[in-house]
Amino acid sequence: MGEHGAVLGIRRALRIGTRTSALAMAQARGVAARLEEAAGVRVDVVGITTAGDRHRGALSELGGKGAFMREIDRALLAGRVDLAVHCLKDVPGDVPRPAGLAFAAYLERDDTADVMVFPRASQVRSLAGLAPGARVGTSAVRRRAQLGRLRPDLRVENLRGNVDSRLGRLDAGELDALVLARAGLRRLGIERAGEVLDIVPAVGAGVLAVDCRRDDLDVRKLVRGLDDEDTRQCVSAERAMLQGLQGHCNSPIAGHARLERDGRLSLRGMVFACDGAKSVYAHEWSGPDEGESLGARVARDLLRKGARDLIDGMPL
Ligand SMILES: NCc1[nH]cc(CCC(=O)O)c1CC(=O)O
């Protein structure tokens, strides 16, 4: 047993709670493997079905917020699991996280690109190649709005469900194209040629966050070893912007922070009307370690430019 085995006392194995989708399980297994290697403890993955996964209808019927997290938060707080792995992109910005939990690590950011993929049988391989009025599947209003700006003629259809079932419906000919995160496809080991879309990513895109009980200092210390400092800086800015905008889990909001070569943080934020016909944009810089105030500043600028009406104009 490694150095941390002793630190963890009598706990000979740690349990990671996560959603049961193939993507969530693959992500959690990746984190488990890294922890096992770093700490020499056994790490098991426990799949937890959430209300959001069980529910087939519109998410608004569940009250929207946190439908994919509540059961996992409870399991973690109750000690049924010791850790949880979340796509930061899916963590709502308008509901506070439970006070007893803390993100102990943000893994190094993966790809943030949104890609358009096409049916295997189709000859079309680009957004520009789609026929007028072609059907494109996505459930994210951020993607819908930005597609509307690029190709207002497309028929964007609301499509929920896991990546595999979406691709199945695409290949079955129900849709002419689908927009997905390239990071998700990579983590699932799915090879599909697609076109990277020139759209602004979601807040937290491509970032996995590892959640722990706040008072579980042994585990927090161990998990902190997986934290990527540059990613933490960027997400602190993006999340502060989202909080400043009180964005919900499916708001028409895009935000992307980067660390410039000179060490400054840069944050671009955009808020759209649902068809993309209107939008507001802000881009600001700050020194390093000033992500929170940078995010607040960009949010204020967007609100001053009319973001509130665009966000509230969206049905949840
Ligand atoms: N809402 C689903 C979701 N949450 C995170 C990812 C992909 C990985 C990431 O961006 O962290 C996906 C799949 C997708 O949007 O295609």
Side-chain angles (χ1 to χ4, degrees):
M1 193 171 285
E3 166 206 358
H4 287 286
V7 175
L8 288 171
I10 59 166
R11 278 182 285 186
R12 270 170 295 144
L14 293 176
R15 288 152 303 170
I16 301 187
T18 193
R19 287 171 59 191
T20 53
S21 71
L23 178 59
M25 294 296 279
Q27 292 172 166
R29 283 197 204 102
V31 173
R34 287 187 59 182
L35 283 174
E36 287 191 331
E37 188 174 315
V41 288
R42 205 179 87 210
V43 185
D44 298 322
V45 174
V46 179
I48 298 174
T49 310
T50 67
D53 297 305
R54 277 191 298 271
H55 189 73
R56 294 277 140 245
L59 285 183
S60 53
E61 294 162 16
L62 293 175
K65 300 172 184 178
F68 292 100
M69 295 188 74
R70 211 165 296 127
E71 283 91 343
I72 297 174
D73 289 349
R74 279 196 201 123
L76 188 51
L77 286 164
R80 291 194 294 278
V81 296
D82 306 292
L83 305 157
V85 175
H86 296 291
C87 287
L88 188 64
K89 183 169 94 171
D90 298 328
V91 177
D94 59 341
V95 271
R97 297 291 301 133
L101 301 181
F103 287 130
Y106 296 105
L107 272 54
E108 184 181 351
R109 178 166 247 166
D110 213 318
D111 200 334
T112 59
D114 291 292
V115 287
M116 182 163 263
V117 294
F118 304 92
R120 287 195 192 280
S122 164
Q123 302 298 311
V124 176
R125 283 291 173 264
S126 68
L127 175 67
L130 284 171
R135 297 153 308 164
V136 180
T138 178
S139 62
V141 289
R142 174 189 61 88
R143 290 172 175 155
R144 172 188 288 270
Q146 293 189 86
L147 276 174
R149 291 159 61 82
L150 297 168
R151 283 285 304 265
D153 61 294
L154 296 178
R155 277 191 291 162
V156 180
E157 298 187 10
N158 222 332
L159 187 71
R160 279 190 59 209
N162 60 43
V163 174
D164 273 329
S165 75
R166 291 186 203 200
L167 288 171
R169 293 174 59 180
L170 178 72
D171 289 331
E174 283 181 49
L175 297 158
D176 300 304
L178 203 57
V179 183
L180 291 168
R182 193 161 58 181
L185 291 173
R186 283 230 179 105
R187 289 175 192 152
L188 285 168
I190 297 175
E191 297 272 349
R192 299 278 297 220
E195 183 185 12
V196 173
L197 294 176
D198 184 18
I199 64 179
V200 185
V203 164
V207 176
L208 293 179
V210 187
D211 215 5
C212 300
R213 282 182 296 280
R214 194 174 285 282
D215 61 5
D216 195 353
L217 299 181
D218 296 344
V219 169
R220 280 181 71 179
K221 188 168 161 209
L222 193 155
V223 170
R224 185 75 188 191
L226 302 185
D227 190 61
D228 180 71
E229 176 56 29
D230 290 1
T231 301
R232 179 172 285 271
Q233 299 244 10
C234 290
V235 304
S236 81
E238 293 170 14
R239 297 283 301 170
M241 182 195 85
L242 192 65
Q243 273 147 26
L245 294 170
Q246 285 292 290
H248 56 69
C249 58
N250 200 13
S251 292
I253 296 173
H256 188 63
R258 323 186 337 173
L259 269 171
E260 309 279 4
R261 255 190 290 269
D262 62 9
R264 287 186 310 163
L265 256 178
S266 125
L267 175 63
R268 291 184 295 153
M270 277 190 101
V271 178
F272 312 91
C274 94
D275 58 358
K278 277 191 239 158
S279 66
V280 291
Y281 175 77
H283 190 179
E284 309 229 12
W285 287 261
S286 77
D289 299 315
E290 291 167 9
E292 288 200 18
S293 60
L294 174 61
R297 193 146 41 89
V298 170
R300 273 198 305 278
D301 192 18
L302 290 167
L303 289 169
R304 196 172 48 72
K305 291 171 173 164
R308 183 85 271 138
D309 284 345
L310 298 178
I311 295 168
D312 293 343
M314 293 297 306
L316 198 84

